Every structure is written in structure tokens, then in C-alpha cells.
Amino acid sequence: MKIVIAADHAGYALKTIVVDHLKSIGVDVIDLGTNDSSTSVDYPDYAKKVAREIMGHTDMLGILICGTGVGMSITANKFRGIRAASVSDTFSARMSRMHNDSNILCFGGRVVGGGLAIDIVDAWLNAEFEGGRHANRLKKIKEGEE
Ligand code: RB5
């Protein structure tokens, strides 16, 4: 499983913590920037990069970090096949995989600290989509793309 990650300036510091963690547990990480917190950038540019990278790839997941996670998720969810979940707790992160088959995890560098972010990422990565009735609900979500 490859993880494609990006952040804006507000999420940069947390991105470095998350990238270090992912590498330490042996995850293959593609980091699409941004690369500092002092230059203001536009979060949609980064959400688009990650969404385009993982569209159609079932062996890839994405992580997007801005100030709140909200702008990143709104942008990523405009792309076909993307199910981006903006969360700030481990339960929602886990359920977003089990019930919603989220393929992009979003959170806020101004909302969660490094320790919680790592727990959120681990909860998300260790959960699996349950299928069944949830697959039928995802089909109904997909109808909105047509
Ligand atoms: C940047 O100031 C901020 O608006 C952005 O990081 C994000 O929180 C948007 O949703």
C-alpha cells in the first residue's frame, strides 16, 4: 500500500510528523509538498494533486492536512471515486474505512496534535472496509458522480 500525502502551510509541521511515522512503520510514502510553513499556499492545489494521483488506484491511499482538514476534504471529494473523510478522532477515522471505504484521510494541523494525528493514521490504516450493506450505500454515493 502506497500513501500519497500533501499539506498546505498550515498542515506542513504535522505532515513532517506523519511522514516520519509512516516511514518508521515501513509504509511507502509519496510526499507531494508543500515543503515549508512560512510560504502561504492554496490548499486546493495540494488536494487536487493527491486526488489525481490516487484516482483509480486501489493500492493507494491519500492523506491531506490543512489548518482544519475541511478545505482539503471539500476539494478532494470533487474528484471521481474519491471518498475523503475529515476527522479529528480515532473512532471516526476507523469508521470512515469500515463503513465509507474512505481513500483519503484529512485532518487539521490547527486541530490535532502530533500524538493524536499518529493514532488517527494508525486507526485508519488498520481498519478494513466491511462491504455488504455498506457497499450498496457507496453505490448510491457514486450515483452523485453521474
Ligand atoms: C489556511 O489559512 C486555511 O484556510 C487552510 O489551511 C484550511 O484550514 C482550509 O480549510
Side-chain angles (χ1 to χ4, degrees):
M1 180 64 68
K2 263 191 192 139
I3 303 262
V4 188
I5 190 167
D8 70 356
H9 53 288
Y12 169 75
L14 193 54
K15 176 168 70 71
T16 63
I17 291 170
V18 171
V19 167
D20 286 350
H21 172 65
L22 290 171
K23 287 183 176 167
S24 78
I25 59 171
V27 174
D28 196 358
V29 183
I30 301 171
D31 184 348
L32 299 181
T34 192
N35 297 315
D36 69 85
S37 57
S38 50
T39 312
S40 181
V41 294
D42 297 333
Y43 62 83
D45 295 336
Y46 291 87
K48 285 177 184 176
K49 280 187 197 194
V50 168
R52 288 191 175 121
E53 195 72 30
I54 71 163
M55 269 169 80
H57 292 107
T58 50
D59 59 341
M60 282 178 146
L61 292 171
I63 296 179
L64 287 165
I65 313 171
C66 58
T68 59
V70 174
M72 288 294 201
S73 60
I74 289 173
T75 311
N77 278 319
K78 300 286 181 198
F79 289 78
R80 192 173 290 274
I82 296 298
R83 294 174 301 279
S86 179
V87 306
S88 49
D89 66 277
T90 54
F91 178 75
S92 302
R94 190 162 46 246
M95 295 309 285
S96 80
R97 287 281 279 155
M98 291 169 68
H99 285 192
N100 315 113
D101 200 19
S102 60
N103 50 13
I104 296 185
L105 177 70
C106 306
F107 45 80
R110 294 171 179 161
V111 182
V112 300
L116 179 54
I118 287 170
D119 282 355
I120 287 172
V121 168
D122 286 348
W124 187 64
L125 288 179
N126 290 326
E128 277 180 28
F129 181 49
E130 285 179 350
R133 68 187 187 283
H134 303 295
N136 194 43
R137 291 166 186 165
L138 292 194
K139 263 192 216 158
K140 292 189 177 192
I141 293 175
K142 210 161 179 42
E143 284 166 14
E145 293 178 347
E146 281 145 23

mmCIF file with all atom_site columns, all heavy atoms in Angstrom, residues 121-142:
data_model
loop_
_atom_site.group_PDB
_atom_site.id
_atom_site.type_symbol
_atom_site.label_atom_id
_atom_site.label_alt_id
_atom_site.label_comp_id
_atom_site.label_asym_id
_atom_site.label_entity_id
_atom_site.label_seq_id
_atom_site.pdbx_PDB_ins_code
_atom_site.Cartn_x
_atom_site.Cartn_y
_atom_site.Cartn_z
_atom_site.occupancy
_atom_site.B_iso_or_equiv
_atom_site.pdbx_formal_charge
_atom_site.auth_seq_id
_atom_site.auth_comp_id
_atom_site.auth_asym_id
_atom_site.auth_atom_id
_atom_site.pdbx_PDB_model_num
ATOM 1   N N   . VAL A 1 121 ? -4.007  8.150  12.167 1.00 0.00 ? 121 VAL A N   1
ATOM 2   C CA  . VAL A 1 121 ? -3.481  7.491  10.965 1.00 0.00 ? 121 VAL A CA  1
ATOM 3   C C   . VAL A 1 121 ? -3.428  5.974  11.176 1.00 0.00 ? 121 VAL A C   1
ATOM 4   O O   . VAL A 1 121 ? -3.852  5.195  10.310 1.00 0.00 ? 121 VAL A O   1
ATOM 5   C CB  . VAL A 1 121 ? -2.072  8.043  10.613 1.00 0.00 ? 121 VAL A CB  1
ATOM 6   C CG1 . VAL A 1 121 ? -1.385  7.182  9.571  1.00 0.00 ? 121 VAL A CG1 1
ATOM 7   C CG2 . VAL A 1 121 ? -2.191  9.489  10.128 1.00 0.00 ? 121 VAL A CG2 1
ATOM 8   N N   . ASP A 1 122 ? -2.965  5.546  12.340 1.00 0.00 ? 122 ASP A N   1
ATOM 9   C CA  . ASP A 1 122 ? -2.866  4.096  12.606 1.00 0.00 ? 122 ASP A CA  1
ATOM 10  C C   . ASP A 1 122 ? -4.246  3.452  12.640 1.00 0.00 ? 122 ASP A C   1
ATOM 11  O O   . ASP A 1 122 ? -4.444  2.351  12.099 1.00 0.00 ? 122 ASP A O   1
ATOM 12  C CB  . ASP A 1 122 ? -2.126  3.844  13.926 1.00 0.00 ? 122 ASP A CB  1
ATOM 13  C CG  . ASP A 1 122 ? -0.628  4.082  13.799 1.00 0.00 ? 122 ASP A CG  1
ATOM 14  O OD1 . ASP A 1 122 ? -0.142  4.219  12.662 1.00 0.00 ? 122 ASP A OD1 1
ATOM 15  O OD2 . ASP A 1 122 ? 0.046   4.142  14.844 1.00 0.00 ? 122 ASP A OD2 1
ATOM 16  N N   . ALA A 1 123 ? -5.205  4.133  13.270 1.00 0.00 ? 123 ALA A N   1
ATOM 17  C CA  . ALA A 1 123 ? -6.577  3.589  13.347 1.00 0.00 ? 123 ALA A CA  1
ATOM 18  C C   . ALA A 1 123 ? -7.143  3.432  11.938 1.00 0.00 ? 123 ALA A C   1
ATOM 19  O O   . ALA A 1 123 ? -7.801  2.426  11.614 1.00 0.00 ? 123 ALA A O   1
ATOM 20  C CB  . ALA A 1 123 ? -7.464  4.517  14.175 1.00 0.00 ? 123 ALA A CB  1
ATOM 21  N N   . TRP A 1 124 ? -6.868  4.396  11.097 1.00 0.00 ? 124 TRP A N   1
ATOM 22  C CA  . TRP A 1 124 ? -7.369  4.391  9.712  1.00 0.00 ? 124 TRP A CA  1
ATOM 23  C C   . TRP A 1 124 ? -6.710  3.280  8.896  1.00 0.00 ? 124 TRP A C   1
ATOM 24  O O   . TRP A 1 124 ? -7.386  2.503  8.214  1.00 0.00 ? 124 TRP A O   1
ATOM 25  C CB  . TRP A 1 124 ? -7.095  5.766  9.104  1.00 0.00 ? 124 TRP A CB  1
ATOM 26  C CG  . TRP A 1 124 ? -7.675  6.027  7.770  1.00 0.00 ? 124 TRP A CG  1
ATOM 27  C CD1 . TRP A 1 124 ? -8.994  6.092  7.423  1.00 0.00 ? 124 TRP A CD1 1
ATOM 28  C CD2 . TRP A 1 124 ? -6.931  6.335  6.578  1.00 0.00 ? 124 TRP A CD2 1
ATOM 29  N NE1 . TRP A 1 124 ? -9.117  6.421  6.093  1.00 0.00 ? 124 TRP A NE1 1
ATOM 30  C CE2 . TRP A 1 124 ? -7.875  6.577  5.559  1.00 0.00 ? 124 TRP A CE2 1
ATOM 31  C CE3 . TRP A 1 124 ? -5.576  6.446  6.293  1.00 0.00 ? 124 TRP A CE3 1
ATOM 32  C CZ2 . TRP A 1 124 ? -7.486  6.907  4.260  1.00 0.00 ? 124 TRP A CZ2 1
ATOM 33  C CZ3 . TRP A 1 124 ? -5.201  6.772  5.002  1.00 0.00 ? 124 TRP A CZ3 1
ATOM 34  C CH2 . TRP A 1 124 ? -6.149  6.999  4.000  1.00 0.00 ? 124 TRP A CH2 1
ATOM 35  N N   . LEU A 1 125 ? -5.391  3.174  9.012  1.00 0.00 ? 125 LEU A N   1
ATOM 36  C CA  . LEU A 1 125 ? -4.664  2.176  8.209  1.00 0.00 ? 125 LEU A CA  1
ATOM 37  C C   . LEU A 1 125 ? -4.974  0.750  8.638  1.00 0.00 ? 125 LEU A C   1
ATOM 38  O O   . LEU A 1 125 ? -4.926  -0.170 7.821  1.00 0.00 ? 125 LEU A O   1
ATOM 39  C CB  . LEU A 1 125 ? -3.150  2.420  8.313  1.00 0.00 ? 125 LEU A CB  1
ATOM 40  C CG  . LEU A 1 125 ? -2.618  3.636  7.578  1.00 0.00 ? 125 LEU A CG  1
ATOM 41  C CD1 . LEU A 1 125 ? -1.120  3.766  7.794  1.00 0.00 ? 125 LEU A CD1 1
ATOM 42  C CD2 . LEU A 1 125 ? -2.927  3.565  6.086  1.00 0.00 ? 125 LEU A CD2 1
ATOM 43  N N   . ASN A 1 126 ? -5.284  0.569  9.915  1.00 0.00 ? 126 ASN A N   1
ATOM 44  C CA  . ASN A 1 126 ? -5.519  -0.791 10.415 1.00 0.00 ? 126 ASN A CA  1
ATOM 45  C C   . ASN A 1 126 ? -6.967  -1.248 10.254 1.00 0.00 ? 126 ASN A C   1
ATOM 46  O O   . ASN A 1 126 ? -7.283  -2.399 10.557 1.00 0.00 ? 126 ASN A O   1
ATOM 47  C CB  . ASN A 1 126 ? -5.097  -0.893 11.885 1.00 0.00 ? 126 ASN A CB  1
ATOM 48  C CG  . ASN A 1 126 ? -3.584  -0.806 12.019 1.00 0.00 ? 126 ASN A CG  1
ATOM 49  O OD1 . ASN A 1 126 ? -2.852  -1.277 11.156 1.00 0.00 ? 126 ASN A OD1 1
ATOM 50  N ND2 . ASN A 1 126 ? -3.111  -0.164 13.078 1.00 0.00 ? 126 ASN A ND2 1
ATOM 51  N N   . ALA A 1 127 ? -7.832  -0.377 9.783  1.00 0.00 ? 127 ALA A N   1
ATOM 52  C CA  . ALA A 1 127 ? -9.241  -0.745 9.590  1.00 0.00 ? 127 ALA A CA  1
ATOM 53  C C   . ALA A 1 127 ? -9.466  -1.200 8.149  1.00 0.00 ? 127 ALA A C   1
ATOM 54  O O   . ALA A 1 127 ? -8.722  -0.819 7.242  1.00 0.00 ? 127 ALA A O   1
ATOM 55  C CB  . ALA A 1 127 ? -10.135 0.445  9.908  1.00 0.00 ? 127 ALA A CB  1
ATOM 56  N N   . GLU A 1 128 ? -10.494 -2.038 7.958  1.00 0.00 ? 128 GLU A N   1
ATOM 57  C CA  . GLU A 1 128 ? -10.817 -2.525 6.605  1.00 0.00 ? 128 GLU A CA  1
ATOM 58  C C   . GLU A 1 128 ? -12.273 -2.286 6.292  1.00 0.00 ? 128 GLU A C   1
ATOM 59  O O   . GLU A 1 128 ? -13.138 -2.383 7.179  1.00 0.00 ? 128 GLU A O   1
ATOM 60  C CB  . GLU A 1 128 ? -10.545 -4.028 6.528  1.00 0.00 ? 128 GLU A CB  1
ATOM 61  C CG  . GLU A 1 128 ? -9.096  -4.343 6.272  1.00 0.00 ? 128 GLU A CG  1
ATOM 62  C CD  . GLU A 1 128 ? -8.833  -5.834 6.196  1.00 0.00 ? 128 GLU A CD  1
ATOM 63  O OE1 . GLU A 1 128 ? -9.762  -6.594 5.816  1.00 0.00 ? 128 GLU A OE1 1
ATOM 64  O OE2 . GLU A 1 128 ? -7.713  -6.221 6.527  1.00 0.00 ? 128 GLU A OE2 1
ATOM 65  N N   . PHE A 1 129 ? -12.549 -2.030 5.022  1.00 0.00 ? 129 PHE A N   1
ATOM 66  C CA  . PHE A 1 129 ? -13.928 -1.842 4.577  1.00 0.00 ? 129 PHE A CA  1
ATOM 67  C C   . PHE A 1 129 ? -14.718 -3.130 4.813  1.00 0.00 ? 129 PHE A C   1
ATOM 68  O O   . PHE A 1 129 ? -14.256 -4.222 4.459  1.00 0.00 ? 129 PHE A O   1
ATOM 69  C CB  . PHE A 1 129 ? -13.934 -1.456 3.103  1.00 0.00 ? 129 PHE A CB  1
ATOM 70  C CG  . PHE A 1 129 ? -15.305 -1.201 2.539  1.00 0.00 ? 129 PHE A CG  1
ATOM 71  C CD1 . PHE A 1 129 ? -16.202 -0.368 3.192  1.00 0.00 ? 129 PHE A CD1 1
ATOM 72  C CD2 . PHE A 1 129 ? -15.702 -1.796 1.353  1.00 0.00 ? 129 PHE A CD2 1
ATOM 73  C CE1 . PHE A 1 129 ? -17.473 -0.126 2.675  1.00 0.00 ? 129 PHE A CE1 1
ATOM 74  C CE2 . PHE A 1 129 ? -16.962 -1.566 0.827  1.00 0.00 ? 129 PHE A CE2 1
ATOM 75  C CZ  . PHE A 1 129 ? -17.849 -0.734 1.489  1.00 0.00 ? 129 PHE A CZ  1
ATOM 76  N N   . GLU A 1 130 ? -15.916 -2.987 5.389  1.00 0.00 ? 130 GLU A N   1
ATOM 77  C CA  . GLU A 1 130 ? -16.722 -4.169 5.728  1.00 0.00 ? 130 GLU A CA  1
ATOM 78  C C   . GLU A 1 130 ? -17.565 -4.685 4.566  1.00 0.00 ? 130 GLU A C   1
ATOM 79  O O   . GLU A 1 130 ? -18.078 -5.803 4.627  1.00 0.00 ? 130 GLU A O   1
ATOM 80  C CB  . GLU A 1 130 ? -17.663 -3.831 6.900  1.00 0.00 ? 130 GLU A CB  1
ATOM 81  C CG  . GLU A 1 130 ? -16.953 -3.759 8.245  1.00 0.00 ? 130 GLU A CG  1
ATOM 82  C CD  . GLU A 1 130 ? -17.894 -3.402 9.390  1.00 0.00 ? 130 GLU A CD  1
ATOM 83  O OE1 . GLU A 1 130 ? -19.064 -3.024 9.129  1.00 0.00 ? 130 GLU A OE1 1
ATOM 84  O OE2 . GLU A 1 130 ? -17.457 -3.476 10.540 1.00 0.00 ? 130 GLU A OE2 1
ATOM 85  N N   . GLY A 1 131 ? -17.752 -3.869 3.526  1.00 0.00 ? 131 GLY A N   1
ATOM 86  C CA  . GLY A 1 131 ? -18.568 -4.311 2.386  1.00 0.00 ? 131 GLY A CA  1
ATOM 87  C C   . GLY A 1 131 ? -20.030 -4.495 2.787  1.00 0.00 ? 131 GLY A C   1
ATOM 88  O O   . GLY A 1 131 ? -20.553 -3.786 3.639  1.00 0.00 ? 131 GLY A O   1
ATOM 89  N N   . GLY A 1 132 ? -20.688 -5.490 2.152  1.00 0.00 ? 132 GLY A N   1
ATOM 90  C CA  . GLY A 1 132 ? -22.083 -5.800 2.487  1.00 0.00 ? 132 GLY A CA  1
ATOM 91  C C   . GLY A 1 132 ? -23.001 -4.610 2.263  1.00 0.00 ? 132 GLY A C   1
ATOM 92  O O   . GLY A 1 132 ? -22.974 -3.978 1.202  1.00 0.00 ? 132 GLY A O   1
ATOM 93  N N   . ARG A 1 133 ? -23.801 -4.291 3.270  1.00 0.00 ? 133 ARG A N   1
ATOM 94  C CA  . ARG A 1 133 ? -24.766 -3.190 3.130  1.00 0.00 ? 133 ARG A CA  1
ATOM 95  C C   . ARG A 1 133 ? -24.054 -1.860 2.859  1.00 0.00 ? 133 ARG A C   1
ATOM 96  O O   . ARG A 1 133 ? -24.615 -0.958 2.224  1.00 0.00 ? 133 ARG A O   1
ATOM 97  C CB  . ARG A 1 133 ? -25.656 -3.082 4.368  1.00 0.00 ? 133 ARG A CB  1
ATOM 98  C CG  . ARG A 1 133 ? -24.946 -2.640 5.638  1.00 0.00 ? 133 ARG A CG  1
ATOM 99  C CD  . ARG A 1 133 ? -25.876 -2.728 6.851  1.00 0.00 ? 133 ARG A CD  1
ATOM 100 N NE  . ARG A 1 133 ? -25.302 -2.157 8.049  1.00 0.00 ? 133 ARG A NE  1
ATOM 101 C CZ  . ARG A 1 133 ? -24.382 -2.753 8.813  1.00 0.00 ? 133 ARG A CZ  1
ATOM 102 N NH1 . ARG A 1 133 ? -23.932 -3.947 8.472  1.00 0.00 ? 133 ARG A NH1 1
ATOM 103 N NH2 . ARG A 1 133 ? -23.925 -2.165 9.898  1.00 0.00 ? 133 ARG A NH2 1
ATOM 104 N N   . HIS A 1 134 ? -22.797 -1.764 3.305  1.00 0.00 ? 134 HIS A N   1
ATOM 105 C CA  . HIS A 1 134 ? -22.073 -0.507 3.095  1.00 0.00 ? 134 HIS A CA  1
ATOM 106 C C   . HIS A 1 134 ? -21.675 -0.338 1.628  1.00 0.00 ? 134 HIS A C   1
ATOM 107 O O   . HIS A 1 134 ? -21.590 0.779  1.129  1.00 0.00 ? 134 HIS A O   1
ATOM 108 C CB  . HIS A 1 134 ? -20.850 -0.447 4.013  1.00 0.00 ? 134 HIS A CB  1
ATOM 109 C CG  . HIS A 1 134 ? -21.216 -0.585 5.458  1.00 0.00 ? 134 HIS A CG  1
ATOM 110 N ND1 . HIS A 1 134 ? -21.985 0.353  6.114  1.00 0.00 ? 134 HIS A ND1 1
ATOM 111 C CD2 . HIS A 1 134 ? -20.977 -1.574 6.348  1.00 0.00 ? 134 HIS A CD2 1
ATOM 112 C CE1 . HIS A 1 134 ? -22.183 -0.043 7.359  1.00 0.00 ? 134 HIS A CE1 1
ATOM 113 N NE2 . HIS A 1 134 ? -21.593 -1.217 7.525  1.00 0.00 ? 134 HIS A NE2 1
ATOM 114 N N   . ALA A 1 135 ? -21.436 -1.468 0.947  1.00 0.00 ? 135 ALA A N   1
ATOM 115 C CA  . ALA A 1 135 ? -21.091 -1.402 -0.477 1.00 0.00 ? 135 ALA A CA  1
ATOM 116 C C   . ALA A 1 135 ? -22.271 -0.841 -1.267 1.00 0.00 ? 135 ALA A C   1
ATOM 117 O O   . ALA A 1 135 ? -22.107 -0.043 -2.198 1.00 0.00 ? 135 ALA A O   1
ATOM 118 C CB  . ALA A 1 135 ? -20.707 -2.781 -0.984 1.00 0.00 ? 135 ALA A CB  1
ATOM 119 N N   . ASN A 1 136 ? -23.470 -1.268 -0.868 1.00 0.00 ? 136 ASN A N   1
ATOM 120 C CA  . ASN A 1 136 ? -24.677 -0.766 -1.531 1.00 0.00 ? 136 ASN A CA  1
ATOM 121 C C   . ASN A 1 136 ? -24.819 0.741  -1.322 1.00 0.00 ? 136 ASN A C   1
ATOM 122 O O   . ASN A 1 136 ? -25.203 1.487  -2.229 1.00 0.00 ? 136 ASN A O   1
ATOM 123 C CB  . ASN A 1 136 ? -25.895 -1.509 -0.968 1.00 0.00 ? 136 ASN A CB  1
ATOM 124 C CG  . ASN A 1 136 ? -27.114 -1.294 -1.814 1.00 0.00 ? 136 ASN A CG  1
ATOM 125 O OD1 . ASN A 1 136 ? -27.020 -1.340 -3.041 1.00 0.00 ? 136 ASN A OD1 1
ATOM 126 N ND2 . ASN A 1 136 ? -28.235 -1.016 -1.184 1.00 0.00 ? 136 ASN A ND2 1
ATOM 127 N N   . ARG A 1 137 ? -24.467 1.207  -0.136 1.00 0.00 ? 137 ARG A N   1
ATOM 128 C CA  . ARG A 1 137 ? -24.555 2.648  0.147  1.00 0.00 ? 137 ARG A CA  1
ATOM 129 C C   . ARG A 1 137 ? -23.513 3.431  -0.652 1.00 0.00 ? 137 ARG A C   1
ATOM 130 O O   . ARG A 1 137 ? -23.777 4.551  -1.104 1.00 0.00 ? 137 ARG A O   1
ATOM 131 C CB  . ARG A 1 137 ? -24.386 2.872  1.662  1.00 0.00 ? 137 ARG A CB  1
ATOM 132 C CG  . ARG A 1 137 ? -25.586 2.350  2.419  1.00 0.00 ? 137 ARG A CG  1
ATOM 133 C CD  . ARG A 1 137 ? -25.366 2.224  3.900  1.00 0.00 ? 137 ARG A CD  1
ATOM 134 N NE  . ARG A 1 137 ? -26.530 1.584  4.505  1.00 0.00 ? 137 ARG A NE  1
ATOM 135 C CZ  . ARG A 1 137 ? -26.556 1.071  5.729  1.00 0.00 ? 137 ARG A CZ  1
ATOM 136 N NH1 . ARG A 1 137 ? -25.489 1.114  6.491  1.00 0.00 ? 137 ARG A NH1 1
ATOM 137 N NH2 . ARG A 1 137 ? -27.653 0.513  6.193  1.00 0.00 ? 137 ARG A NH2 1
ATOM 138 N N   . LEU A 1 138 ? -22.340 2.823  -0.847 1.00 0.00 ? 138 LEU A N   1
ATOM 139 C CA  . LEU A 1 138 ? -21.327 3.506  -1.655 1.00 0.00 ? 138 LEU A CA  1
ATOM 140 C C   . LEU A 1 138 ? -21.780 3.634  -3.108 1.00 0.00 ? 138 LEU A C   1
ATOM 141 O O   . LEU A 1 138 ? -21.496 4.626  -3.771 1.00 0.00 ? 138 LEU A O   1
ATOM 142 C CB  . LEU A 1 138 ? -19.980 2.769  -1.599 1.00 0.00 ? 138 LEU A CB  1
ATOM 143 C CG  . LEU A 1 138 ? -19.242 2.762  -0.273 1.00 0.00 ? 138 LEU A CG  1
ATOM 144 C CD1 . LEU A 1 138 ? -17.808 2.307  -0.474 1.00 0.00 ? 138 LEU A CD1 1
ATOM 145 C CD2 . LEU A 1 138 ? -19.257 4.113  0.414  1.00 0.00 ? 138 LEU A CD2 1
ATOM 146 N N   . LYS A 1 139 ? -22.506 2.597  -3.589 1.00 0.00 ? 139 LYS A N   1
ATOM 147 C CA  . LYS A 1 139 ? -23.060 2.679  -4.951 1.00 0.00 ? 139 LYS A CA  1
ATOM 148 C C   . LYS A 1 139 ? -23.981 3.893  -5.056 1.00 0.00 ? 139 LYS A C   1
ATOM 149 O O   . LYS A 1 139 ? -23.996 4.602  -6.061 1.00 0.00 ? 139 LYS A O   1
ATOM 150 C CB  . LYS A 1 139 ? -23.876 1.412  -5.250 1.00 0.00 ? 139 LYS A CB  1
ATOM 151 C CG  . LYS A 1 139 ? -23.128 0.358  -6.002 1.00 0.00 ? 139 LYS A CG  1
ATOM 152 C CD  . LYS A 1 139 ? -24.104 -0.696 -6.499 1.00 0.00 ? 139 LYS A CD  1
ATOM 153 C CE  . LYS A 1 139 ? -23.476 -2.072 -6.442 1.00 0.00 ? 139 LYS A CE  1
ATOM 154 N NZ  . LYS A 1 139 ? -24.455 -3.145 -6.394 1.00 0.00 ? 139 LYS A NZ  1
ATOM 155 N N   . LYS A 1 140 ? -24.761 4.113  -4.017 1.00 0.00 ? 140 LYS A N   1
ATOM 156 C CA  . LYS A 1 140 ? -25.684 5.258  -4.021 1.00 0.00 ? 140 LYS A CA  1
ATOM 157 C C   . LYS A 1 140 ? -24.915 6.579  -3.988 1.00 0.00 ? 140 LYS A C   1
ATOM 158 O O   . LYS A 1 140 ? -25.326 7.555  -4.629 1.00 0.00 ? 140 LYS A O   1
ATOM 159 C CB  . LYS A 1 140 ? -26.642 5.160  -2.830 1.00 0.00 ? 140 LYS A CB  1
ATOM 160 C CG  . LYS A 1 140 ? -27.601 3.998  -2.960 1.00 0.00 ? 140 LYS A CG  1
ATOM 161 C CD  . LYS A 1 140 ? -28.695 4.019  -1.894 1.00 0.00 ? 140 LYS A CD  1
ATOM 162 C CE  . LYS A 1 140 ? -29.663 2.860  -2.149 1.00 0.00 ? 140 LYS A CE  1
ATOM 163 N NZ  . LYS A 1 140 ? -30.884 2.964  -1.369 1.00 0.00 ? 140 LYS A NZ  1
ATOM 164 N N   . ILE A 1 141 ? -23.806 6.615  -3.288 1.00 0.00 ? 141 ILE A N   1
ATOM 165 C CA  . ILE A 1 141 ? -22.966 7.823  -3.298 1.00 0.00 ? 141 ILE A CA  1
ATOM 166 C C   . ILE A 1 141 ? -22.443 8.061  -4.706 1.00 0.00 ? 141 ILE A C   1
ATOM 167 O O   . ILE A 1 141 ? -22.449 9.179  -5.218 1.00 0.00 ? 141 ILE A O   1
ATOM 168 C CB  . ILE A 1 141 ? -21.778 7.694  -2.312 1.00 0.00 ? 141 ILE A CB  1
ATOM 169 C CG1 . ILE A 1 141 ? -22.270 7.660  -0.858 1.00 0.00 ? 141 ILE A CG1 1
ATOM 170 C CG2 . ILE A 1 141 ? -20.783 8.842  -2.513 1.00 0.00 ? 141 ILE A CG2 1
ATOM 171 C CD1 . ILE A 1 141 ? -21.165 7.410  0.165  1.00 0.00 ? 141 ILE A CD1 1
ATOM 172 N N   . LYS A 1 142 ? -22.006 6.970  -5.341 1.00 0.00 ? 142 LYS A N   1
ATOM 173 C CA  . LYS A 1 142 ? -21.413 7.064  -6.674 1.00 0.00 ? 142 LYS A CA  1
ATOM 174 C C   . LYS A 1 142 ? -22.388 7.633  -7.695 1.00 0.00 ? 142 LYS A C   1
ATOM 175 O O   . LYS A 1 142 ? -21.978 8.282  -8.659 1.00 0.00 ? 142 LYS A O   1
ATOM 176 C CB  . LYS A 1 142 ? -20.925 5.667  -7.105 1.00 0.00 ? 142 LYS A CB  1
ATOM 177 C CG  . LYS A 1 142 ? -19.750 5.763  -8.026 1.00 0.00 ? 142 LYS A CG  1
ATOM 178 C CD  . LYS A 1 142 ? -18.961 4.488  -8.127 1.00 0.00 ? 142 LYS A CD  1
ATOM 179 C CE  . LYS A 1 142 ? -17.803 4.642  -9.093 1.00 0.00 ? 142 LYS A CE  1
ATOM 180 N NZ  . LYS A 1 142 ? -17.083 5.905  -8.985 1.00 0.00 ? 142 LYS A NZ  1
#
